[in-house]
């Protein structure tokens, strides 16, 4: 007999499996269309599980069943299904539970009995409408007679999951109370599952509920069988109801703000991640989660925090006494705080540390269940909480790529560890100072009572080695759970920032103006000259015009005319110059937009001081982030700010005028990847980087990132020996310095102890000075990371680290100042930006991204090469591929001379503002252009056929005319 490939067979397979695992199969006739309940099962559950309460209720009601069902219907309508299931209902002084969660411990056997009394049921072909031959649902899931989920099925032999989704959108009335009461609706085929918690007609938004970009093959089952073999199984469904699903309040935008409510059901990877981490977490072990932007990381962290609080071992003891959710930002992300608090089911379970370190110390002493804080506050409480009883701690780290390296991480470990240290018998310990140091090192290294759960989208080498899972087979570090950038893009939770990537290479030519051909350090002179070009008024002006023209002609129309842009600059000075030029051109062109600039501290320029505050002039006490949400502000100019952790869904276009590489490139460009209604794409216009460089930066983080091997700690000893080989100091001096520091000697004594190595350093040749400083910087960087991974504590390494920390601050600088006087000998002859690139997709490989461990200790000294200025200019011009034709420059000069020599035009320029003269300048410009046409048809055609180029040239000549007037004055 041939295989039944119809949808009915798919439906029956699901029902048969559910029935075999304890579900009760019910008929559509058992469903009461007016109460939206399986009344028979509701009453059966109440009477069986709570007979005493039912008896009291019956004694006070003439018609108890009708009264109870009516009350239950009203409560579900008022408070929602999830609250009724969790909290029960009160009627006539009687409390009724509508659901019993699975107990976390075996301490109370009665709770296990209560849990077993829950009735899980399934109905096929549910006729839910109050009419004959009404619509039917393929499957509906009930708990204790209360509907919690509906499922529309489709098989891919004849139909796909889209058909099921469209049934919900177009054939199901969203006002039907059954759909409002249910917690989740699944559109399911044998290959794909989509879910929604709210029907809204054709606007219904479905989210993927798949195991990956595609679901894997399962032997003997459908690819989507996990929905009924895992998710709908009693234990998992009970956990979803008790620990995951919640109603989130959302403020709707508009003239009148109102609060709406939406039911949150975890996406598959969120549920799978939390389940994986809660499967068997053990203090002393660390866990790494690589979840891309768009993964819903904040909610995953919140669910994990609450899950860890309720995790008990086989002895019914809590695995973790306290849970910390920490971030490396100095001001904890409010969204993270609020999300952890939102899932709170018991009052005072969560404490947000918003004040100071004292508040954190008090929370630790009192044993608050969940604490949300910044990592920086731990630095101040190490001694204050020293007498706190031994506890186990779970530490959930947001943005772990930056939070968990260096001194802040050490402070967390030393503050919370319960490691017992016998320093007296340790190797190398000779006195109390050594014993104290050894104890600190061991407490930092040995953390048997701590577990770190680290979240990041872009794990670095250090992150993978500290928190990753060691794969014995392949000898690699990998994350414990993955939701990749690729999957987030495919599922539509973020946009692909590499889809439309435009590079505008810059061409320029510098000429020597000085008669004498002076010599300069080649690398330093080239650095100064490149910066000179980047900050040259003509460069800033030209690039601003290109960006502004692009924004006003294209970006501003995106996202229903709400789109915004960001300009990433390479320095604070350039941010200021761009802000001034953007505002000048906006005013000159009478554009109805505003810009904001973000940079730290104060910039002095041409005798004036510029700050964010005096440049932005934001009304009230709003932050830049808050102001940028206003419609008037369209372009944000940044210098090392807002390039990480900044989420603005309306950000569509990014202009890049800064060298980017590695993780910084991924984080910066990802600012534009957030989704928003009617936002279908993004755009990057890059003046500096090559597409291949950006591809190399993104590739390791597109799918799963792994570390190819362990770091070889023997390299650290090689580095220590290299440092001693300079003979600037000896190990005895290091020991003496540490002991003096430990004993609290006067500060002057510490300075005196460092005088000898400094004097020796000053006698070194420049090459050795550079090498020594690079070596000690390398040692400090590698040791701060490795000290948490070493399988032992070595006092020599730690003492040298402390010694070098102080010595490095006193070593005299050896960098010669940049030769800014070279600028007196050059001028910019020509400058051009090639805007021909129309944008192409940067394609990434689907393979995993392997990173090599940080093992190199080699540092190289590169002596300055002295070269004649003329040679330096030739190399720089060659590097930037100057391709201007001499004939073009001559024609441009002819045009400019014609405009500047026109007496009538000069007279008008003397008597009128530039904005007023602009209206008639076209005529003069056209006349001059026609005058060169006869002998230069190719040039004329080039200008006349390119409106952007024509306007740029016209504006340039008008500016030139007014610059002449200013010089005459």
């Amino acid at each position: 007999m041939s295989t039944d490939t119809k949808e009915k067979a798919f439906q029956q397979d699901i029902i048969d499996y559910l029935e075999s695992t304890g579900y009760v199969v019910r008929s559509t006739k058992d469903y009461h269309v007016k109460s939206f309940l399986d009344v028979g099962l509701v009453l059966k559950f109440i009477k069986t599980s709570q007979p005493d309460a039912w008896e009291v209720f019956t004694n006070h009601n003439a018609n108890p069943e009708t009264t109870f069902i009516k009350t239950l219907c009203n409560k579900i309508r008022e408070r929602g299904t999830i609250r009724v299931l969790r909290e029960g209902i009160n009627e006539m002084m009687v409390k009724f539970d509508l659901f019993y969660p699975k107990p976390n411990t075996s301490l109370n056997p009665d709770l296990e009995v209560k849990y077993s009394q829950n009735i899980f049921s399934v109905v096929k072909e549910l006729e839910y409408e109050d009419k004959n031959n009404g619509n039917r649902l393929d499957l509906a899931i009930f708990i204790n007679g209360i509907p919690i989920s509906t499922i529309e099925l489709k098989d891919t032999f004849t139909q796909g999951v889209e058909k099921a989704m469209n049934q919900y959108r177009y054939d199901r009335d969203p006002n039907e109370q059954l759909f409002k009461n249910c917690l989740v609706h699944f559109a399911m085929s044998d290959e794909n599952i989509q879910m929604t918690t709210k029907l809204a007609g054709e606007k219904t938004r479905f989210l993927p509920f798949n195991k990956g970009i595609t679901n894997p093959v399962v032997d003997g089952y459908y690819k989507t069988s996990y929905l009924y073999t895992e998710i709908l199984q009693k234990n998992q469904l009970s956990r979803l109801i008790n620990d995951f699903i919640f109603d989130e309040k959302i403020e709707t935008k508009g003239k009148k703000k109102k609060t709406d409510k939406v039911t949150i059901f975890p996406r598959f990877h969120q549920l799978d991640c939390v389940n994986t981490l809660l499967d068997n977490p053990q203090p002393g072990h660390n866990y790494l989660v690589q979840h891309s932007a768009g993964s819903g990381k904040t909610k995953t962290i919140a669910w994990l925090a609450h899950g860890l609080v309720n995790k008990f071992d086989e002895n019914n003891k809590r695995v973790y006494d306290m849970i910390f959710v920490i971030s490396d930002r100095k001001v904890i992300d409010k969204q993270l705080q609020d999300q952890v608090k939102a899932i709170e089911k018991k009052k005072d379970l969560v404490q947000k540390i918003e004040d100071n370190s004292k508040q954190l110390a008090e929370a630790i002493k009192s044993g608050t269940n969940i604490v949300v804080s910044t990592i920086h506050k731990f630095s101040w409480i190490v001694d204050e909480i020293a007498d706190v009883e031994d506890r186990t701690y779970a530490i959930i780290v947001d943005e772990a790529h930056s939070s968990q390296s260096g001194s802040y991480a050490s402070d967390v470990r030393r503050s919370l560890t319960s490691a017992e240290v016998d320093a007296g018998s340790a190797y190398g310990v000779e006195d109390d100072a050594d014993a104290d140091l050894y104890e600190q090192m061991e407490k930092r290294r040995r953390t048997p009572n701590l577990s770190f759960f680290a979240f990041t989208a872009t794990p670095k080498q250090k992150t993978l080695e500290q928190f990753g899972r060691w794969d014995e087979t392949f000898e690699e570090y990998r994350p414990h759970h993955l939701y990749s950038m690729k999957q987030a893009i495919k599922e539509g939770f973020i946009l692909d920032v590499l889809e439309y990537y435009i590079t505008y290479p810059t061409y320029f030519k510098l000429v020597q103006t000085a008669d004498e051909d002076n010599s300069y350090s080649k690398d330093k002179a080239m650095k100064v000259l490149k910066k000179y070009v980047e900050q040259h008024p003509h460069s800033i002006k030209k690039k601003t015009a290109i960006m502004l023209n692009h924004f006003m002609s294209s970006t501003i129309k995106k996202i229903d005319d709400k789109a915004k842009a960001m300009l990433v600059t390479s320095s604070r000075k350039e941010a200021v110059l761009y802000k001034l030029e953007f505002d000048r051109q906006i005013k000159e062109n009478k554009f109805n937009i505003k810009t904001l600039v973000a940079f730290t501290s104060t910039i002095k320029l041409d005798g004036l001081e510029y700050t964010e505050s005096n440049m932005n002039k934001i009304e009230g006490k709003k932050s830049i982030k808050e102001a940028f949400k206003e419609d008037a502000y369209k372009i944000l100019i940044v210098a090392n700010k807002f390039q990480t952790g900044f989420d603005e869904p309306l950000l569509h276009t990014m202009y890049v005028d800064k060298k980017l590489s590695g993780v910084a490139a991924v984080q910066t460009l990802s600012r534009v990847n957030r989704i928003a209604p009617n936002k279908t794409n993004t755009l990057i216009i890059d003046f500096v980087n090559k597409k291949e460089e950006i591809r190399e930066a993104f590739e390791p983080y597109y799918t799963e990132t792994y570390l190819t091997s362990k770091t070889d700690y023997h390299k650290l000893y090689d580095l220590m020996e290299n440092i001693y080989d300079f003979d600037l100091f000896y190990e005895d001096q290091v020991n003496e310095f540490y002991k003096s520091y430990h004993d609290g000697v006067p500060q002057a004594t510490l300075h005196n102890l460092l005088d000898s190595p400094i004097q020796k350093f000053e006698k070194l040749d420049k090459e050795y000075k550079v090498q020594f400083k690079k070596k000690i910087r390398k040692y400090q960087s590698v040791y701060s990371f490795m000290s948490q991974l070493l399988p032992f504590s070595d006092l020599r390494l730690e003492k040298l680290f402390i010694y070098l920390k102080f010595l490095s601050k006193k070593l005299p600088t050896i960098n010669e100042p940049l030769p800014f006087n070279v600028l007196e000998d050059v001028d910019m002859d020509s400058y051009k930006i090639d805007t021909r690139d129309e944008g192409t997709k940067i394609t990434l490989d689907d393979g995993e991204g392997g990173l090599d461990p940080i093992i190199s200790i080699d540092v190289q000294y590169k002596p300055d090469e002295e070269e004649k200025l003329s040679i330096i200019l030739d190399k720089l011009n060659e590097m930037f591929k100057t391709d201007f034709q001499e004939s073009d420059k001559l024609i441009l000069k002819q045009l400019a001379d014609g405009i500047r020599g026109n007496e009538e035009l000069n007279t008008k320029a003397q008597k009128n503002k530039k904005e007023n003269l602009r209206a008639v300048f076209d005529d003069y410009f056209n006349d001059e252009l026609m005058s060169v046409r006869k002998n230069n048809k190719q040039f004329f055609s080039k200008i006349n056929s390119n409106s952007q180029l024509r306007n740029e040239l016209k504006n340039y000549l008008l500016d030139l005319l007014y610059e002449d007037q200013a010089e005459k004055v």
Side-chain angles (χ1 to χ4, degrees):
M1 190 167 116
S2 61
T3 302
D4 186 352
T5 60
K6 294 180 182 177
E7 183 185 302
K8 295 291 183 187
F10 185 26
Q11 180 188 53
Q12 193 59 47
D13 286 343
I14 296 173
I15 291 172
D16 290 346
Y17 190 93
L18 291 175
E19 186 175 20
S20 73
T21 56
Y23 268 73
V24 176
V25 179
R26 300 283 281 176
S27 162
T28 186
K29 293 178 182 179
D30 297 316
Y31 178 73
H32 190 254
V33 294
K34 293 188 182 295
S35 66
F36 320 107
L37 300 167
D38 182 336
V39 172
L41 285 188
V42 171
L43 294 174
K44 180 181 178 180
F45 169 74
I46 293 296
K47 292 176 183 179
T48 304
S49 64
Q50 299 155 82
D52 294 341
W54 182 252
E55 184 179 353
V56 172
F57 184 75
T58 301
N59 292 337
H60 289 83
N61 282 279
N63 196 346
E65 292 185 354
T66 302
T67 302
F68 180 83
I69 294 299
K70 184 178 179 180
T71 299
L72 177 58
C73 288
N74 289 336
K75 293 296 182 184
I76 291 175
R77 193 185 293 263
E78 290 169 13
R79 293 159 55 200
T81 297
I82 192 64
R83 285 191 62 189
V84 168
L85 287 172
R86 281 187 183 156
E87 300 169 9
I89 61 174
N90 290 287
E91 179 66 13
M92 300 285 294
M93 300 180 295
V94 181
K95 165 76 185 304
F96 288 103
D97 292 312
L98 274 303
F99 165 76
Y100 290 117
K102 183 173 177 59
N104 296 313
T105 73
S106 57
L107 290 173
N108 189 343
D110 290 344
L111 294 180
E112 193 65 48
V113 172
K114 286 181 179 293
Y115 170 68
S116 68
Q117 292 173 327
N118 289 317
I119 305 171
F120 295 78
S121 61
V122 58
V123 178
K124 71 174 180 179
E125 301 301 328
L126 179 68
E127 296 180 25
Y128 61 88
E129 292 183 307
D130 190 13
K131 62 182 180 182
N132 292 328
N133 300 316
N135 280 331
R136 296 183 176 197
L137 288 161
D138 289 333
L139 292 172
I141 305 297
F142 293 72
I143 290 183
N144 301 325
I146 299 173
I148 62 164
S149 175
T150 69
I151 305 173
E152 286 290 358
L153 300 171
K154 293 292 174 279
D155 70 273
T156 50
F157 284 124
T158 56
Q159 309 171 89
V161 74
E162 279 291 335
K163 180 69 175 176
M165 293 160 66
N166 285 336
Q167 270 191 288
Y168 277 119
R169 287 186 176 119
Y170 302 109
D171 299 340
R172 305 291 179 244
D173 182 0
N175 294 312
E176 176 71 38
Q177 194 62 40
L178 169 67
F179 298 125
K180 292 182 178 180
N181 289 356
C182 282
L183 304 174
V184 64
H185 310 281
F186 293 106
M188 178 183 183
S189 76
D190 52 291
E191 291 195 345
N192 192 317
I193 301 176
Q194 302 284 319
M195 72 166 186
T196 184
T197 60
K198 183 178 182 179
L199 298 190
E202 63 180 332
K203 294 182 179 178
T204 301
R205 185 186 178 212
F206 281 90
L207 305 180
F209 195 76
N210 298 304
K211 287 195 167 187
I213 297 173
T214 58
N215 284 309
V217 173
V218 185
D219 237 5
Y221 289 91
Y222 302 101
K223 288 182 180 179
T224 52
S225 60
Y226 59 88
L227 182 64
Y228 57 90
T229 62
E230 299 174 27
I231 306 303
L232 296 180
Q233 286 303 293
K234 291 181 178 182
N235 286 354
Q236 180 63 82
L237 193 53
S238 297
R239 287 193 61 234
L240 279 163
I241 290 169
N242 195 53
D243 300 329
F244 285 88
I245 304 169
F246 69 98
D247 290 331
E248 186 172 60
K249 294 178 181 178
I250 297 176
E251 280 193 358
T252 56
K253 294 180 179 179
K255 291 183 179 179
K256 288 185 178 180
K257 283 188 177 181
K258 64 176 185 177
T259 302
D260 201 1
K261 183 181 72 173
V262 60
T263 299
I264 301 299
F265 190 97
R267 289 149 61 187
F268 183 87
H269 72 272
Q270 292 175 312
L271 179 63
D272 187 59
C273 175
V274 175
N275 283 343
T276 298
L277 297 177
L278 292 180
D279 181 41
N280 187 29
Q282 297 177 13
H285 291 74
N286 296 327
Y287 306 88
L288 176 63
V289 177
Q290 183 182 354
H291 277 196
S292 164
S295 68
K297 179 184 63 176
T298 303
K299 285 185 172 62
T300 307
I301 287 174
W303 279 316
L304 176 61
H306 288 274
L308 289 169
V309 163
N310 295 304
K311 183 66 180 176
F312 291 79
D313 63 19
E314 64 276 6
N315 298 315
N316 295 313
K317 184 177 183 301
R318 259 173 60 170
V319 176
Y320 299 103
D321 298 308
M322 286 185 70
I323 316 299
F324 290 93
V325 180
I326 61 177
S327 168
D328 69 332
R329 296 172 193 157
K330 291 193 176 179
V331 179
I332 191 80
D333 191 311
K334 187 176 187 299
Q335 183 188 10
L336 183 60
Q337 283 187 328
D338 293 345
Q339 196 68 78
V340 176
K341 192 81 175 167
I343 303 177
E344 183 180 41
K345 289 180 291 185
K346 294 180 181 177
K347 193 176 180 183
D348 298 329
L349 189 72
V350 180
Q351 183 172 355
K352 299 185 288 186
I353 307 300
E354 297 174 301
D355 298 334
N356 49 40
S357 296
K358 185 178 179 181
Q359 187 189 13
L360 174 61
E362 289 171 354
I364 293 173
K365 288 177 180 178
S366 65
T368 303
N369 286 278
I370 300 175
V371 174
V372 188
S373 176
T374 64
I375 193 171
H376 309 82
K377 290 187 172 68
F378 281 88
S379 305
W380 307 97
I381 65 167
V382 178
D383 297 328
E384 196 172 337
I385 62 170
D387 58 344
V388 172
E389 64 188 57
D390 289 347
R391 297 199 191 107
T392 53
Y393 300 97
I395 301 159
I396 304 173
V397 186
D398 186 20
E399 298 302 335
H401 60 266
S402 54
S403 301
Q404 282 305 294
S405 59
S407 60
Y408 288 130
S410 297
D411 291 333
V412 174
R413 292 168 183 269
R414 287 196 298 120
S415 298
L416 303 178
T417 186
S418 64
E420 295 289 335
V421 181
D422 180 12
S425 60
Y427 175 76
V429 173
E430 297 181 355
D431 52 29
D432 289 345
D434 285 353
D436 288 345
L437 183 61
Y438 184 83
E439 183 175 350
Q440 287 180 31
M441 293 171 68
E442 284 291 281
K443 286 191 172 183
R444 177 183 60 214
R445 186 181 67 82
R446 290 168 48 202
T447 52
N449 63 319
L450 307 185
S451 285
F452 286 88
F453 296 82
F455 284 74
T456 180
T458 51
K460 296 179 182 177
Q461 292 99 323
K462 293 178 180 180
T463 315
L464 282 159
E465 192 158 358
Q466 279 185 279
F467 308 112
R469 169 180 59 85
W470 178 247
D471 188 320
E472 293 285 355
T473 304
F474 298 101
E475 296 188 331
E476 298 165 345
Y477 282 105
R478 291 182 175 271
H480 292 79
H481 199 271
L482 172 71
Y483 180 78
S484 67
M485 182 192 301
K486 180 182 178 182
Q487 185 172 349
I489 291 170
K490 293 283 187 185
E491 293 184 342
F493 288 103
I494 58 173
L495 295 166
D496 185 357
V497 300
L498 305 183
E499 183 79 31
Y500 298 101
Y501 204 102
I502 296 175
T503 54
Y504 283 172
T506 301
Y507 304 139
F508 62 83
K509 184 174 182 180
L510 299 175
V511 293
Q512 186 170 339
T513 58
D515 294 331
E516 188 177 346
D517 199 3
N518 295 316
S519 293
Y520 297 96
S521 164
K522 184 182 74 173
D523 290 342
K524 291 177 179 176
M526 290 183 77
K527 183 176 181 180
V528 170
L529 292 170
K530 282 164 68 176
K531 185 59 70 176
Y532 162 74
V533 173
E534 290 167 2
Q535 297 180 354
H536 194 283
H538 183 67
S539 307
I540 297 289
K541 180 179 177 181
K542 196 168 184 70
K543 281 188 274 191
T544 299
I546 289 171
M547 290 184 278
L548 200 50
N549 178 64
H550 172 268
F551 184 87
M552 296 307 297
S553 63
S554 178
T555 298
I556 199 169
K557 300 172 186 175
K558 305 290 184 181
I559 322 179
D560 294 337
D561 302 329
K562 297 174 184 174
K564 298 175 184 286
M566 176 185 281
L567 165 58
V568 179
T569 69
S570 62
S571 70
R572 295 180 301 141
K573 181 180 178 181
E574 281 170 50
V576 170
L577 292 171
Y578 270 119
K579 168 69 172 168
L580 294 170
E581 184 60 25
F582 262 94
D583 288 352
R584 187 192 70 77
Q585 291 192 27
I586 287 169
K587 183 178 179 181
E588 186 176 273
N589 290 284
K590 298 180 180 177
F591 293 143
N592 190 28
I593 65 169
K594 292 181 181 180
T595 67
L596 290 166
V597 66
F599 60 92
T600 56
S601 193
T602 302
I603 288 292
K604 294 180 180 179
L605 195 62
D606 298 332
L608 298 174
E609 290 189 350
Y610 294 96
T611 65
E612 283 182 346
S613 178
N614 66 27
M615 294 197 83
N616 290 325
K617 297 182 173 64
I618 300 171
E619 294 181 4
K621 295 183 178 180
K622 287 188 288 247
S623 66
I624 292 176
K625 185 177 179 180
E626 291 168 333
F628 194 51
K629 288 188 176 296
E630 296 178 10
D631 189 54
Y633 293 105
K634 293 293 188 181
I635 301 174
L636 176 60
I637 304 163
V638 302
N640 293 322
K641 292 186 77 173
F642 293 98
Q643 287 172 235
T644 61
F646 175 59
D647 293 340
E648 175 45 68
L650 296 180
L651 200 56
H652 174 276
T653 300
M654 179 174 285
Y655 305 109
V656 180
D657 198 22
K658 176 183 181 177
K659 194 71 178 171
L660 296 173
S661 63
V663 171
V666 178
Q667 292 175 333
T668 299
L669 299 178
S670 294
R671 294 312 98 212
V672 298
N673 70 9
R674 287 355 186 222
I675 58 173
N678 300 310
K679 181 180 178 182
T680 58
N681 56 34
T682 66
L683 179 65
I684 309 292
I685 294 181
D686 195 330
F687 293 96
V688 178
N689 305 283
K690 295 177 181 177
K691 291 181 182 179
E692 180 60 22
E693 295 168 338
I694 298 301
R695 187 192 67 76
E696 288 176 2
F698 269 78
E699 203 113 71
Y701 306 105
Y702 187 52
T703 54
E704 183 173 18
T705 310
Y706 67 95
L707 188 66
T708 57
S709 63
K710 293 182 178 180
T711 300
D712 182 2
Y713 64 78
H714 294 98
K715 298 285 185 181
L716 195 59
Y717 284 92
D718 293 341
L719 193 53
M720 178 173 71
E721 290 176 9
N722 289 168
I723 290 171
Y724 278 120
D725 284 346
F726 280 88
D727 289 333
L728 297 184
F729 53 83
Y730 304 103
E731 193 169 347
D732 288 346
Q733 291 171 277
V734 173
N735 291 334
E736 182 185 2
F737 181 88
Y738 169 70
K739 190 174 188 312
S740 300
Y741 172 65
H742 172 271
D743 293 344
V745 300
Q747 188 180 131
T749 303
L750 294 182
H751 285 288
N752 293 336
L753 289 171
L754 295 173
D755 279 346
S756 173
I758 290 171
Q759 289 170 11
K760 291 180 181 179
F761 175 83
E762 289 175 334
K763 295 176 182 177
L764 292 175
D765 291 339
K766 182 181 177 183
E767 175 182 351
Y768 293 109
K769 286 180 180 178
V770 171
Q771 285 188 352
F772 179 74
K773 294 194 87 169
K774 286 184 175 180
K775 292 271 187 187
I776 66 174
R777 277 200 300 269
K778 187 77 172 177
Y779 182 88
Q780 289 172 297
S781 173
V782 173
Y783 182 74
S784 64
F785 155 61
M786 286 295 295
S787 62
Q788 300 173 54
L789 300 177
L790 287 171
F792 51 81
S793 292
D794 189 331
L795 289 171
R796 294 176 303 157
L797 295 173
E798 184 78 11
K799 287 179 181 179
L800 180 61
F801 177 76
I802 294 169
Y803 184 79
L804 293 178
K805 182 173 72 172
F806 286 94
L807 179 63
S808 62
K809 294 175 182 177
K810 286 180 65 68
L811 288 176
T813 180
I814 54 175
N815 289 330
E816 294 176 0
L818 293 171
F820 288 104
N821 55 320
V822 72
L823 299 180
E824 299 171 6
D825 299 343
V826 299
D827 199 358
M828 190 157 70
D829 178 58
S830 50
Y831 183 88
K832 179 180 177 181
I833 300 171
D834 186 350
T835 60
R836 289 175 296 179
D837 185 2
E838 295 182 357
T840 55
K841 179 184 174 77
I842 299 177
T843 304
L844 302 176
D845 292 338
D846 287 342
E848 297 166 339
L851 300 176
D852 294 325
I854 306 170
I855 56 174
S856 173
I857 63 167
D858 295 330
V859 294
Q860 300 295 326
Y861 170 71
K862 186 179 179 183
D864 288 340
E865 295 179 46
E866 293 283 324
E867 283 191 356
K868 297 291 185 183
L869 177 59
S870 57
I871 299 175
I872 293 172
L873 292 180
D874 286 344
K875 288 184 177 179
L876 197 58
N877 288 329
E878 182 183 353
M879 187 188 304
F880 283 86
K881 301 174 184 175
T882 307
D883 63 353
F884 294 102
Q885 301 294 319
E886 284 300 322
S887 57
D888 285 349
K889 286 192 277 186
L890 289 171
I891 298 167
L892 287 171
K893 187 175 186 305
Q894 185 182 334
L895 266 176
D897 289 345
I899 291 290
R900 298 163 85 176
N902 189 311
E903 290 186 12
E904 182 182 340
L905 190 56
N906 271 280
T907 302
K908 289 186 176 181
Q910 290 170 8
K911 297 179 179 180
N912 293 276
K913 291 182 177 179
K914 190 192 298 185
E915 289 75 12
N916 298 334
L917 184 61
R918 190 182 296 277
V920 297
F921 185 71
D922 263 6
D923 296 334
Y924 293 96
F925 174 75
N926 290 335
D927 289 345
E928 290 299 330
L929 195 57
M930 292 301 291
S931 71
V932 301
R933 177 184 180 184
K934 184 177 180 180
N935 298 319
N936 305 282
K937 290 182 179 179
Q938 189 176 357
F939 176 84
F940 177 83
S941 176
K942 188 189 299 184
I943 297 294
N944 222 34
S945 62
N946 188 327
S947 59
Q948 182 180 347
L949 180 60
R950 180 189 175 93
N951 288 332
E952 282 293 314
L953 179 57
K954 186 170 61 178
N955 289 334
Y956 169 73
L957 293 174
L958 181 60
D959 289 344
L960 197 62
L961 181 67
Y962 273 86
E963 286 171 12
D964 286 351
Q965 300 303 319
E967 286 180 10
K968 290 176 184 176
V969 173

